[in-house]
Amino acid sequence: PEYLARRFKATYGLSIKLWLIEVRLRFAAMHIMDTTESISSIAYRFGYPDIFQFSRQFKKYYGCSPSEYRKTCFA
């Protein structure tokens, strides 16, 4: 596991954990744009049982909250 983690970080520049978070957030963002499903159900669908944690990570990655992201995408 340690060797894989080192090789992964050397190749992709991110830890496996951060890469997985990024991938989940990208898929969640696509889902936010493509559906009218509630933000809380999208958060749960992509592995975030806590909407506040999802919103915090989403804002850290995209610079806006999920609801703001939806408004700018559908505007």
Side-chain angles (χ1 to χ4, degrees):
E2 294 168 10
Y3 175 75
L4 174 64
R6 282 194 313 270
R7 294 298 303 156
F8 192 92
K9 187 163 186 162
T11 303
Y12 296 104
L14 293 170
S15 69
I16 295 171
K17 181 179 178 179
L18 289 177
W19 182 82
L20 286 172
I21 290 170
E22 187 175 300
V23 168
R24 288 166 52 193
L25 289 173
R26 284 185 189 173
F27 278 110
M30 286 190 296
H31 205 72
I32 288 169
M33 290 188 319
D34 294 340
T35 68
T36 57
E37 188 176 353
S38 73
I39 301 297
S40 59
S41 62
I42 291 172
Y44 186 75
R45 177 186 301 263
F46 289 99
Y48 292 93
D50 181 10
I51 183 70
F52 300 108
Q53 180 186 6
F54 173 70
S55 293
R56 195 169 36 252
Q57 282 193 337
F58 194 95
K59 188 169 187 171
K60 184 177 178 183
Y61 187 76
Y62 284 102
C64 63
S65 71
S67 57
E68 290 171 342
Y69 186 81
R70 177 174 273 168
K71 287 176 188 172
T72 60
C73 289
F74 288 130

